[in-house]
Amino acid sequence: MPLTINIPDTNKKRIIIVGCGFAGLTLAKYLKNSNHQVVIIDKNNFHQFQPLFYQVATAGLEPRDIAFPIRKIFQNYKDYFIRIANVTKVIPEQNLIETSLGNLKYDFLILANGADTSFFGLHKIQEYAKPMKNVYESIELLWNILQNLEDALTTSIDENEELLNIVVVGGGPTGVEISGALIEMKKFVFPKDYPELNCNHINIYLIEASPRLLGGMSEKSSEKSKAFLEKMGVKVLTSTAVKDYDGHIVSLGNGELIKSKTLIWAAGIQGNIINGINASNFTRANRILVNEINRIKDYENIYALGDIACMANEKNPGGHPQVAQVAIQQAKNLANNLKMNTSNPFKYKDLGSMATIGRNKAVVDLPFIHFDGFFAWLVWMLIHLRSIFGIKNKILIFINWVWSYLTYDQSLRLLFKPFRK
Ligand SMILES: Cc1cc2nc3c(=O)[nH]c(=O)nc-3n(C[C@H](O)[C@H](O)[C@H](O)COP(=O)(O)OP(=O)(O)OC[C@H]3O[C@@H](n4cnc5c(N)ncnc54)[C@H](O)[C@@H]3O)c2cc1C
């Protein structure tokens, strides 16, 4: 007989939220004072602010600045229960989920379990490339970058080419932002930290298979971000696919080979699968098809939100973009529907998109206007600060950014290695 998670049965209906990312967190907050018991299950005990992972990976911020303990967020919420567990299966016929802690019955189940890196079936690349889809991977990436530089001090010029070349794959916002941050480290930080190393030999490549960077943004943003990056020294290759990687050599579609021990994979995502949902509900990249109120087509009481959901409509035939605002807005709409017992359809309000390229450089597309440069960079910082959870974190991040801006440096380059007794 499998264990049951120990949560009291009451006369309130139970809503289980799987995942406390942007969607799950917002839904849970907006369900406050509803007449439901709310159970939040996440495999981590913290919510992660993914847009700033690249700053953890490039020593700009500490992991704790962008991760927030879930229990602290919900300290004052009545009838809320939090469990740190991996949800492995849904059994819709029994209104039951299976988790690493045991089983639990639900009245409503909300899947907000997000997405993970997609390597598009390129297994060899998957084995050696470095993704950046959670805090752990961001820390590991930083560790790799720093360790390679340490190793480069003790190897010959011939050998250290692969240690000094960093290849970023994927020219979306993540690829653009991390390339910009790395080239700034090459310019401002590494020469001071590694005076014995000829830092001119450090190369940052950004490789994108489609003809332009920031494909989801305006043409102007694409052109401008490419121009910014190239001026800063990033070697940008568009219309170029990465075909293979063995941990040492990156093979490109045009036949070119690049020696590198660091291939950062920021090229695609796919939904995190939880077993038990009928296969017919899945579409491209493991997204789950939902109707206009985020309900999964085959079920009456199971919903999907955010990156895992695909609400295809005339305006977005392939579903909405997998960004934080969609997750947040869908969660608010569903919270209202569950609270008021209504079925108001979701309408996405596109607030615009942006990417930062480096110091004083960003691109911003608002619904009717594009701008870039210093003002865009300020807007980028303000919006991200505003979105960060908790006053203390906002202040810490702000101080860090001001400090880096004034000193062209920051002091978070610690090589914490995995602990083994
Ligand atoms: C590096 C990076 C940069 C980004 N930059 C931007 C940006 O600048 N602007 C923007 O709008 N968007 C950005 N995004 C996208 C944005 O972060 C996502 O769209 C958003 O996080 C989706 O929210 P979500 O709640 O659907 O999923 P997530 O935020 O991914 O949350 C999913 C949660 O589910 C949990 N989970 C997963 N599987 C299980 C399981 N089986 N059991 C229990 N728990 C589980 C996870 O631990 C996680 O907490 C970025 C993403 C990345 C990776």
Side-chain angles (χ1 to χ4, degrees), residues 18-24 41-44 50-51 53 85-87 112-115 132-133 174 272 274 305-307 322-324 327 384:
V18 182
C20 196
F22 282 105
I41 306 183
D42 198 297
K43 52 188 177 186
N44 296 308
Q50 302 187 14
F53 281 167
N86 189 14
V87 177
N113 51 314
M132 197 179 52
K133 198 67 183 75
T174 303
N272 290 315
I274 293 177
L305 292 176
D307 278 4
Q322 286 160 295
V323 294
H384 281 74

PDB file of all heavy atoms in Angstrom, residues 18-24 41-44 50-51 53 85-87 112-115 132-133 174 272 274 305-307 322-324 327 384, ligand 1:
ATOM      1  N   VAL A  18       1.334  21.929  -8.829  1.00  0.00           N
ATOM      2  CA  VAL A  18       2.635  21.273  -9.035  1.00  0.00           C
ATOM      3  C   VAL A  18       3.593  22.289  -9.641  1.00  0.00           C
ATOM      4  O   VAL A  18       3.419  22.715 -10.782  1.00  0.00           O
ATOM      5  CB  VAL A  18       2.505  20.056  -9.981  1.00  0.00           C
ATOM      6  CG1 VAL A  18       3.870  19.374 -10.143  1.00  0.00           C
ATOM      7  CG2 VAL A  18       1.476  19.080  -9.463  1.00  0.00           C
ATOM      8  N   GLY A  19       4.585  22.705  -8.880  1.00  0.00           N
ATOM      9  CA  GLY A  19       5.575  23.666  -9.372  1.00  0.00           C
ATOM     10  C   GLY A  19       5.323  25.050  -8.799  1.00  0.00           C
ATOM     11  O   GLY A  19       4.205  25.556  -8.852  1.00  0.00           O
ATOM     12  N   CYS A  20       6.376  25.626  -8.252  1.00  0.00           N
ATOM     13  CA  CYS A  20       6.249  26.972  -7.681  1.00  0.00           C
ATOM     14  C   CYS A  20       7.173  27.931  -8.430  1.00  0.00           C
ATOM     15  O   CYS A  20       7.969  28.655  -7.845  1.00  0.00           O
ATOM     16  CB  CYS A  20       6.545  26.939  -6.185  1.00  0.00           C
ATOM     17  SG  CYS A  20       5.961  28.418  -5.345  1.00  0.00           S
ATOM     18  N   GLY A  21       7.059  27.886  -9.762  1.00  0.00           N
ATOM     19  CA  GLY A  21       7.743  28.877 -10.596  1.00  0.00           C
ATOM     20  C   GLY A  21       6.852  30.104 -10.700  1.00  0.00           C
ATOM     21  O   GLY A  21       5.997  30.342  -9.830  1.00  0.00           O
ATOM     22  N   PHE A  22       6.994  30.848 -11.786  1.00  0.00           N
ATOM     23  CA  PHE A  22       6.206  32.079 -11.940  1.00  0.00           C
ATOM     24  C   PHE A  22       4.707  31.775 -11.901  1.00  0.00           C
ATOM     25  O   PHE A  22       3.930  32.492 -11.266  1.00  0.00           O
ATOM     26  CB  PHE A  22       6.549  32.776 -13.251  1.00  0.00           C
ATOM     27  CG  PHE A  22       7.847  33.526 -13.189  1.00  0.00           C
ATOM     28  CD1 PHE A  22       8.980  33.030 -13.802  1.00  0.00           C
ATOM     29  CD2 PHE A  22       7.938  34.726 -12.512  1.00  0.00           C
ATOM     30  CE1 PHE A  22      10.176  33.719 -13.742  1.00  0.00           C
ATOM     31  CE2 PHE A  22       9.125  35.423 -12.436  1.00  0.00           C
ATOM     32  CZ  PHE A  22      10.258  34.920 -13.060  1.00  0.00           C
ATOM     33  N   ALA A  23       4.293  30.700 -12.591  1.00  0.00           N
ATOM     34  CA  ALA A  23       2.862  30.397 -12.668  1.00  0.00           C
ATOM     35  C   ALA A  23       2.336  29.888 -11.332  1.00  0.00           C
ATOM     36  O   ALA A  23       1.355  30.414 -10.797  1.00  0.00           O
ATOM     37  CB  ALA A  23       2.615  29.366 -13.776  1.00  0.00           C
ATOM     38  N   GLY A  24       2.983  28.859 -10.775  1.00  0.00           N
ATOM     39  CA  GLY A  24       2.504  28.254  -9.533  1.00  0.00           C
ATOM     40  C   GLY A  24       2.500  29.245  -8.379  1.00  0.00           C
ATOM     41  O   GLY A  24       1.553  29.306  -7.589  1.00  0.00           O
ATOM     42  N   ILE A  41       3.384  21.810  -4.341  1.00  0.00           N
ATOM     43  CA  ILE A  41       4.433  20.781  -4.354  1.00  0.00           C
ATOM     44  C   ILE A  41       5.501  21.194  -5.367  1.00  0.00           C
ATOM     45  O   ILE A  41       5.194  21.454  -6.537  1.00  0.00           O
ATOM     46  CB  ILE A  41       3.884  19.390  -4.753  1.00  0.00           C
ATOM     47  CG1 ILE A  41       2.709  19.023  -3.832  1.00  0.00           C
ATOM     48  CG2 ILE A  41       4.975  18.339  -4.653  1.00  0.00           C
ATOM     49  CD1 ILE A  41       2.142  17.648  -4.074  1.00  0.00           C
ATOM     50  N   ASP A  42       6.723  21.290  -4.909  1.00  0.00           N
ATOM     51  CA  ASP A  42       7.834  21.584  -5.816  1.00  0.00           C
ATOM     52  C   ASP A  42       9.012  20.704  -5.415  1.00  0.00           C
ATOM     53  O   ASP A  42       9.175  20.367  -4.245  1.00  0.00           O
ATOM     54  CB  ASP A  42       8.235  23.064  -5.743  1.00  0.00           C
ATOM     55  CG  ASP A  42       9.050  23.495  -6.955  1.00  0.00           C
ATOM     56  OD1 ASP A  42      10.173  22.955  -7.167  1.00  0.00           O
ATOM     57  OD2 ASP A  42       8.571  24.357  -7.711  1.00  0.00           O
ATOM     58  N   LYS A  43       9.849  20.351  -6.392  1.00  0.00           N
ATOM     59  CA  LYS A  43      10.985  19.501  -6.041  1.00  0.00           C
ATOM     60  C   LYS A  43      12.075  20.286  -5.334  1.00  0.00           C
ATOM     61  O   LYS A  43      12.951  19.700  -4.708  1.00  0.00           O
ATOM     62  CB  LYS A  43      11.519  18.752  -7.258  1.00  0.00           C
ATOM     63  CG  LYS A  43      11.829  19.584  -8.451  1.00  0.00           C
ATOM     64  CD  LYS A  43      12.162  18.664  -9.619  1.00  0.00           C
ATOM     65  CE  LYS A  43      12.411  19.490 -10.867  1.00  0.00           C
ATOM     66  NZ  LYS A  43      12.592  18.687 -12.043  1.00  0.00           N
ATOM     67  N   ASN A  44      12.022  21.605  -5.445  1.00  0.00           N
ATOM     68  CA  ASN A  44      12.962  22.456  -4.689  1.00  0.00           C
ATOM     69  C   ASN A  44      12.199  23.190  -3.603  1.00  0.00           C
ATOM     70  O   ASN A  44      11.001  23.435  -3.739  1.00  0.00           O
ATOM     71  CB  ASN A  44      13.598  23.497  -5.627  1.00  0.00           C
ATOM     72  CG  ASN A  44      14.444  22.842  -6.693  1.00  0.00           C
ATOM     73  OD1 ASN A  44      15.320  22.035  -6.388  1.00  0.00           O
ATOM     74  ND2 ASN A  44      14.179  23.176  -7.943  1.00  0.00           N
ATOM     75  N   GLN A  50      14.408  32.925 -13.002  1.00  0.00           N
ATOM     76  CA  GLN A  50      15.227  32.421 -14.113  1.00  0.00           C
ATOM     77  C   GLN A  50      15.882  33.512 -14.969  1.00  0.00           C
ATOM     78  O   GLN A  50      16.991  33.309 -15.457  1.00  0.00           O
ATOM     79  CB  GLN A  50      14.384  31.497 -14.994  1.00  0.00           C
ATOM     80  CG  GLN A  50      13.817  30.324 -14.215  1.00  0.00           C
ATOM     81  CD  GLN A  50      13.129  29.297 -15.096  1.00  0.00           C
ATOM     82  OE1 GLN A  50      13.261  29.293 -16.297  1.00  0.00           O
ATOM     83  NE2 GLN A  50      12.390  28.414 -14.472  1.00  0.00           N
ATOM     84  N   PRO A  51      15.206  34.663 -15.199  1.00  0.00           N
ATOM     85  CA  PRO A  51      15.842  35.653 -16.076  1.00  0.00           C
ATOM     86  C   PRO A  51      17.231  36.105 -15.609  1.00  0.00           C
ATOM     87  O   PRO A  51      18.002  36.614 -16.416  1.00  0.00           O
ATOM     88  CB  PRO A  51      14.846  36.823 -16.049  1.00  0.00           C
ATOM     89  CG  PRO A  51      13.521  36.161 -15.834  1.00  0.00           C
ATOM     90  CD  PRO A  51      13.805  35.029 -14.895  1.00  0.00           C
ATOM     91  N   PHE A  53      19.535  34.003 -14.117  1.00  0.00           N
ATOM     92  CA  PHE A  53      20.481  32.879 -13.987  1.00  0.00           C
ATOM     93  C   PHE A  53      21.842  33.238 -14.580  1.00  0.00           C
ATOM     94  O   PHE A  53      22.883  32.861 -14.071  1.00  0.00           O
ATOM     95  CB  PHE A  53      19.968  31.645 -14.740  1.00  0.00           C
ATOM     96  CG  PHE A  53      18.912  30.858 -14.002  1.00  0.00           C
ATOM     97  CD1 PHE A  53      18.174  29.890 -14.666  1.00  0.00           C
ATOM     98  CD2 PHE A  53      18.656  31.079 -12.660  1.00  0.00           C
ATOM     99  CE1 PHE A  53      17.198  29.158 -14.005  1.00  0.00           C
ATOM    100  CE2 PHE A  53      17.677  30.351 -11.986  1.00  0.00           C
ATOM    101  CZ  PHE A  53      16.952  29.395 -12.670  1.00  0.00           C
ATOM    102  N   ALA A  85       8.765  17.727  -3.038  1.00  0.00           N
ATOM    103  CA  ALA A  85       8.687  16.367  -3.596  1.00  0.00           C
ATOM    104  C   ALA A  85       8.665  16.432  -5.114  1.00  0.00           C
ATOM    105  O   ALA A  85       8.326  17.468  -5.699  1.00  0.00           O
ATOM    106  CB  ALA A  85       7.417  15.680  -3.103  1.00  0.00           C
ATOM    107  N   ASN A  86       9.033  15.321  -5.708  1.00  0.00           N
ATOM    108  CA  ASN A  86       8.969  15.208  -7.166  1.00  0.00           C
ATOM    109  C   ASN A  86       7.627  14.563  -7.527  1.00  0.00           C
ATOM    110  O   ASN A  86       7.329  13.464  -7.071  1.00  0.00           O
ATOM    111  CB  ASN A  86      10.149  14.330  -7.618  1.00  0.00           C
ATOM    112  CG  ASN A  86      10.303  14.318  -9.104  1.00  0.00           C
ATOM    113  OD1 ASN A  86       9.718  15.147  -9.803  1.00  0.00           O
ATOM    114  ND2 ASN A  86      11.074  13.366  -9.594  1.00  0.00           N
ATOM    115  N   VAL A  87       6.831  15.249  -8.303  1.00  0.00           N
ATOM    116  CA  VAL A  87       5.552  14.658  -8.729  1.00  0.00           C
ATOM    117  C   VAL A  87       5.834  13.791  -9.955  1.00  0.00           C
ATOM    118  O   VAL A  87       6.390  14.278 -10.948  1.00  0.00           O
ATOM    119  CB  VAL A  87       4.522  15.753  -9.055  1.00  0.00           C
ATOM    120  CG1 VAL A  87       3.228  15.138  -9.571  1.00  0.00           C
ATOM    121  CG2 VAL A  87       4.257  16.600  -7.812  1.00  0.00           C
ATOM    122  N   ALA A 112       1.957  23.234 -13.165  1.00  0.00           N
ATOM    123  CA  ALA A 112       2.736  24.447 -13.462  1.00  0.00           C
ATOM    124  C   ALA A 112       4.203  24.074 -13.327  1.00  0.00           C
ATOM    125  O   ALA A 112       4.989  24.772 -12.692  1.00  0.00           O
ATOM    126  CB  ALA A 112       2.351  25.568 -12.494  1.00  0.00           C
ATOM    127  N   ASN A 113       4.523  22.921 -13.933  1.00  0.00           N
ATOM    128  CA  ASN A 113       5.846  22.331 -13.710  1.00  0.00           C
ATOM    129  C   ASN A 113       6.878  22.732 -14.758  1.00  0.00           C
ATOM    130  O   ASN A 113       7.974  22.172 -14.792  1.00  0.00           O
ATOM    131  CB  ASN A 113       5.750  20.798 -13.604  1.00  0.00           C
ATOM    132  CG  ASN A 113       5.003  20.176 -14.749  1.00  0.00           C
ATOM    133  OD1 ASN A 113       3.945  20.662 -15.126  1.00  0.00           O
ATOM    134  ND2 ASN A 113       5.536  19.123 -15.313  1.00  0.00           N
ATOM    135  N   GLY A 114       6.559  23.715 -15.587  1.00  0.00           N
ATOM    136  CA  GLY A 114       7.561  24.367 -16.420  1.00  0.00           C
ATOM    137  C   GLY A 114       8.263  23.484 -17.440  1.00  0.00           C
ATOM    138  O   GLY A 114       7.750  22.437 -17.865  1.00  0.00           O
ATOM    139  N   ALA A 115       9.438  23.924 -17.815  1.00  0.00           N
ATOM    140  CA  ALA A 115      10.171  23.263 -18.901  1.00  0.00           C
ATOM    141  C   ALA A 115      11.627  23.067 -18.515  1.00  0.00           C
ATOM    142  O   ALA A 115      12.114  23.647 -17.545  1.00  0.00           O
ATOM    143  CB  ALA A 115      10.074  24.131 -20.160  1.00  0.00           C
ATOM    144  N   MET A 132      21.560  25.888 -18.728  1.00  0.00           N
ATOM    145  CA  MET A 132      21.434  26.877 -17.635  1.00  0.00           C
ATOM    146  C   MET A 132      19.947  27.045 -17.323  1.00  0.00           C
ATOM    147  O   MET A 132      19.380  28.104 -17.513  1.00  0.00           O
ATOM    148  CB  MET A 132      22.049  28.198 -18.113  1.00  0.00           C
ATOM    149  CG  MET A 132      22.347  29.152 -16.990  1.00  0.00           C
ATOM    150  SD  MET A 132      23.102  30.668 -17.573  1.00  0.00           S
ATOM    151  CE  MET A 132      21.997  31.210 -18.848  1.00  0.00           C
ATOM    152  N   LYS A 133      19.339  25.956 -16.837  1.00  0.00           N
ATOM    153  CA  LYS A 133      17.886  25.994 -16.650  1.00  0.00           C
ATOM    154  C   LYS A 133      17.494  25.932 -15.176  1.00  0.00           C
ATOM    155  O   LYS A 133      16.323  25.848 -14.848  1.00  0.00           O
ATOM    156  CB  LYS A 133      17.255  24.834 -17.447  1.00  0.00           C
ATOM    157  CG  LYS A 133      15.780  24.957 -17.712  1.00  0.00           C
ATOM    158  CD  LYS A 133      15.419  26.093 -18.631  1.00  0.00           C
ATOM    159  CE  LYS A 133      13.930  26.254 -18.833  1.00  0.00           C
ATOM    160  NZ  LYS A 133      13.169  26.837 -17.738  1.00  0.00           N
ATOM    161  N   THR A 174      18.602  34.721 -23.559  1.00  0.00           N
ATOM    162  CA  THR A 174      19.577  34.100 -22.652  1.00  0.00           C
ATOM    163  C   THR A 174      20.968  34.072 -23.274  1.00  0.00           C
ATOM    164  O   THR A 174      21.958  34.449 -22.640  1.00  0.00           O
ATOM    165  CB  THR A 174      19.138  32.654 -22.312  1.00  0.00           C
ATOM    166  OG1 THR A 174      17.834  32.717 -21.753  1.00  0.00           O
ATOM    167  CG2 THR A 174      20.072  32.004 -21.335  1.00  0.00           C
ATOM    168  N   ASN A 272       8.473  19.706 -19.018  1.00  0.00           N
ATOM    169  CA  ASN A 272       8.777  18.616 -18.080  1.00  0.00           C
ATOM    170  C   ASN A 272       7.584  17.663 -18.070  1.00  0.00           C
ATOM    171  O   ASN A 272       6.473  18.082 -17.745  1.00  0.00           O
ATOM    172  CB  ASN A 272       8.954  19.170 -16.663  1.00  0.00           C
ATOM    173  CG  ASN A 272      10.223  19.978 -16.525  1.00  0.00           C
ATOM    174  OD1 ASN A 272      11.284  19.573 -16.977  1.00  0.00           O
ATOM    175  ND2 ASN A 272      10.124  21.138 -15.885  1.00  0.00           N
ATOM    176  N   ILE A 274       5.103  14.831 -16.827  1.00  0.00           N
ATOM    177  CA  ILE A 274       4.625  14.032 -15.690  1.00  0.00           C
ATOM    178  C   ILE A 274       3.715  12.966 -16.297  1.00  0.00           C
ATOM    179  O   ILE A 274       2.786  13.287 -17.049  1.00  0.00           O
ATOM    180  CB  ILE A 274       3.862  14.917 -14.683  1.00  0.00           C
ATOM    181  CG1 ILE A 274       4.854  15.901 -14.035  1.00  0.00           C
ATOM    182  CG2 ILE A 274       3.173  14.061 -13.618  1.00  0.00           C
ATOM    183  CD1 ILE A 274       4.231  16.876 -13.067  1.00  0.00           C
ATOM    184  N   LEU A 305      -0.514  25.510 -16.735  1.00  0.00           N
ATOM    185  CA  LEU A 305      -0.211  26.941 -16.804  1.00  0.00           C
ATOM    186  C   LEU A 305       1.242  27.171 -17.193  1.00  0.00           C
ATOM    187  O   LEU A 305       2.113  26.356 -16.884  1.00  0.00           O
ATOM    188  CB  LEU A 305      -0.345  27.575 -15.406  1.00  0.00           C
ATOM    189  CG  LEU A 305      -1.695  27.703 -14.733  1.00  0.00           C
ATOM    190  CD1 LEU A 305      -1.497  28.271 -13.323  1.00  0.00           C
ATOM    191  CD2 LEU A 305      -2.607  28.614 -15.540  1.00  0.00           C
ATOM    192  N   GLY A 306       1.515  28.306 -17.810  1.00  0.00           N
ATOM    193  CA  GLY A 306       2.900  28.741 -18.027  1.00  0.00           C
ATOM    194  C   GLY A 306       3.592  27.968 -19.141  1.00  0.00           C
ATOM    195  O   GLY A 306       2.975  27.560 -20.134  1.00  0.00           O
ATOM    196  N   ASP A 307       4.883  27.728 -18.954  1.00  0.00           N
ATOM    197  CA  ASP A 307       5.706  27.117 -20.008  1.00  0.00           C
ATOM    198  C   ASP A 307       5.206  25.761 -20.465  1.00  0.00           C
ATOM    199  O   ASP A 307       5.400  25.367 -21.617  1.00  0.00           O
ATOM    200  CB  ASP A 307       7.151  26.936 -19.500  1.00  0.00           C
ATOM    201  CG  ASP A 307       7.962  28.215 -19.619  1.00  0.00           C
ATOM    202  OD1 ASP A 307       7.395  29.243 -20.010  1.00  0.00           O
ATOM    203  OD2 ASP A 307       9.177  28.169 -19.320  1.00  0.00           O
ATOM    204  N   GLN A 322       6.872  31.321 -24.377  1.00  0.00           N
ATOM    205  CA  GLN A 322       7.158  30.746 -23.049  1.00  0.00           C
ATOM    206  C   GLN A 322       7.975  31.751 -22.235  1.00  0.00           C
ATOM    207  O   GLN A 322       9.194  31.641 -22.125  1.00  0.00           O
ATOM    208  CB  GLN A 322       7.861  29.399 -23.210  1.00  0.00           C
ATOM    209  CG  GLN A 322       6.865  28.334 -23.679  1.00  0.00           C
ATOM    210  CD  GLN A 322       7.526  27.140 -24.302  1.00  0.00           C
ATOM    211  OE1 GLN A 322       8.149  27.272 -25.360  1.00  0.00           O
ATOM    212  NE2 GLN A 322       7.414  25.991 -23.689  1.00  0.00           N
ATOM    213  N   VAL A 323       7.260  32.740 -21.711  1.00  0.00           N
ATOM    214  CA  VAL A 323       7.902  33.808 -20.930  1.00  0.00           C
ATOM    215  C   VAL A 323       7.140  34.014 -19.626  1.00  0.00           C
ATOM    216  O   VAL A 323       5.997  33.562 -19.475  1.00  0.00           O
ATOM    217  CB  VAL A 323       7.960  35.149 -21.722  1.00  0.00           C
ATOM    218  CG1 VAL A 323       8.860  35.033 -22.939  1.00  0.00           C
ATOM    219  CG2 VAL A 323       6.563  35.605 -22.125  1.00  0.00           C
ATOM    220  N   ALA A 324       7.782  34.747 -18.724  1.00  0.00           N
ATOM    221  CA  ALA A 324       7.236  34.902 -17.375  1.00  0.00           C
ATOM    222  C   ALA A 324       5.855  35.563 -17.379  1.00  0.00           C
ATOM    223  O   ALA A 324       4.961  35.149 -16.641  1.00  0.00           O
ATOM    224  CB  ALA A 324       8.218  35.713 -16.535  1.00  0.00           C
ATOM    225  N   ALA A 327       3.008  33.209 -18.008  1.00  0.00           N
ATOM    226  CA  ALA A 327       2.781  32.339 -16.846  1.00  0.00           C
ATOM    227  C   ALA A 327       2.035  33.103 -15.754  1.00  0.00           C
ATOM    228  O   ALA A 327       1.053  32.606 -15.178  1.00  0.00           O
ATOM    229  CB  ALA A 327       4.121  31.822 -16.323  1.00  0.00           C
ATOM    230  N   HIS A 384      13.472  44.434 -13.899  1.00  0.00           N
ATOM    231  CA  HIS A 384      13.934  43.206 -13.250  1.00  0.00           C
ATOM    232  C   HIS A 384      13.977  43.376 -11.733  1.00  0.00           C
ATOM    233  O   HIS A 384      13.604  42.462 -10.999  1.00  0.00           O
ATOM    234  CB  HIS A 384      15.291  42.773 -13.812  1.00  0.00           C
ATOM    235  CG  HIS A 384      15.153  42.072 -15.127  1.00  0.00           C
ATOM    236  ND1 HIS A 384      14.868  42.751 -16.295  1.00  0.00           N
ATOM    237  CD2 HIS A 384      15.183  40.758 -15.462  1.00  0.00           C
ATOM    238  CE1 HIS A 384      14.752  41.878 -17.282  1.00  0.00           C
ATOM    239  NE2 HIS A 384      14.942  40.660 -16.808  1.00  0.00           N
TER     240      HIS A 384
HETATM  241  C1  LIG B   1      17.953  31.414 -18.396  1.00  0.00           C
HETATM  242  C2  LIG B   1      16.541  31.887 -18.601  1.00  0.00           C
HETATM  243  C3  LIG B   1      16.293  33.223 -18.818  1.00  0.00           C
HETATM  244  C4  LIG B   1      14.982  33.676 -18.987  1.00  0.00           C
HETATM  245  N1  LIG B   1      14.758  35.009 -19.193  1.00  0.00           N
HETATM  246  C5  LIG B   1      13.492  35.457 -19.289  1.00  0.00           C
HETATM  247  C6  LIG B   1      13.225  36.850 -19.403  1.00  0.00           C
HETATM  248  O1  LIG B   1      14.146  37.666 -19.427  1.00  0.00           O
HETATM  249  N2  LIG B   1      11.924  37.254 -19.468  1.00  0.00           N
HETATM  250  C7  LIG B   1      10.900  36.361 -19.439  1.00  0.00           C
HETATM  251  O2  LIG B   1       9.732  36.764 -19.468  1.00  0.00           O
HETATM  252  N3  LIG B   1      11.118  35.042 -19.342  1.00  0.00           N
HETATM  253  C8  LIG B   1      12.385  34.572 -19.258  1.00  0.00           C
HETATM  254  N4  LIG B   1      12.617  33.236 -19.152  1.00  0.00           N
HETATM  255  C9  LIG B   1      11.460  32.310 -19.219  1.00  0.00           C
HETATM  256  C10 LIG B   1      10.720  32.271 -17.898  1.00  0.00           C
HETATM  257  O3  LIG B   1      11.625  32.084 -16.850  1.00  0.00           O
HETATM  258  C11 LIG B   1       9.689  31.156 -17.971  1.00  0.00           C
HETATM  259  O4  LIG B   1       8.784  31.462 -19.003  1.00  0.00           O
HETATM  260  C12 LIG B   1       8.945  31.017 -16.655  1.00  0.00           C
HETATM  261  O5  LIG B   1       9.823  30.647 -15.635  1.00  0.00           O
HETATM  262  C13 LIG B   1       7.823  29.982 -16.781  1.00  0.00           C
HETATM  263  O6  LIG B   1       7.193  29.861 -15.559  1.00  0.00           O
HETATM  264  P1  LIG B   1       6.528  28.474 -15.127  1.00  0.00           P
HETATM  265  O7  LIG B   1       5.924  28.732 -13.785  1.00  0.00           O
HETATM  266  O8  LIG B   1       5.692  27.957 -16.205  1.00  0.00           O
HETATM  267  O9  LIG B   1       7.736  27.453 -14.976  1.00  0.00           O
HETATM  268  P2  LIG B   1       9.030  27.539 -14.039  1.00  0.00           P
HETATM  269  O10 LIG B   1       9.284  28.938 -13.598  1.00  0.00           O
HETATM  270  O11 LIG B   1      10.091  26.823 -14.779  1.00  0.00           O
HETATM  271  O12 LIG B   1       8.627  26.694 -12.740  1.00  0.00           O
HETATM  272  C14 LIG B   1       8.436  25.313 -12.782  1.00  0.00           C
HETATM  273  C15 LIG B   1       8.552  24.782 -11.350  1.00  0.00           C
HETATM  274  O13 LIG B   1       8.129  23.439 -11.339  1.00  0.00           O
HETATM  275  C16 LIG B   1       9.001  22.671 -10.535  1.00  0.00           C
HETATM  276  N5  LIG B   1       8.903  21.294 -11.035  1.00  0.00           N
HETATM  277  C17 LIG B   1       9.201  20.847 -12.269  1.00  0.00           C
HETATM  278  N6  LIG B   1       8.940  19.548 -12.382  1.00  0.00           N
HETATM  279  C18 LIG B   1       8.461  19.147 -11.172  1.00  0.00           C
HETATM  280  C19 LIG B   1       8.009  17.903 -10.661  1.00  0.00           C
HETATM  281  N7  LIG B   1       7.970  16.793 -11.410  1.00  0.00           N
HETATM  282  N8  LIG B   1       7.619  17.844  -9.375  1.00  0.00           N
HETATM  283  C20 LIG B   1       7.642  18.952  -8.591  1.00  0.00           C
HETATM  284  N9  LIG B   1       8.051  20.150  -9.038  1.00  0.00           N
HETATM  285  C21 LIG B   1       8.445  20.261 -10.316  1.00  0.00           C
HETATM  286  C22 LIG B   1      10.346  23.320 -10.724  1.00  0.00           C
HETATM  287  O14 LIG B   1      11.212  23.043  -9.646  1.00  0.00           O
HETATM  288  C23 LIG B   1       9.969  24.802 -10.818  1.00  0.00           C
HETATM  289  O15 LIG B   1       9.978  25.421  -9.554  1.00  0.00           O
HETATM  290  C24 LIG B   1      13.910  32.755 -18.966  1.00  0.00           C
HETATM  291  C25 LIG B   1      14.176  31.408 -18.747  1.00  0.00           C
HETATM  292  C26 LIG B   1      15.479  30.970 -18.564  1.00  0.00           C
HETATM  293  C27 LIG B   1      15.752  29.520 -18.321  1.00  0.00           C
END
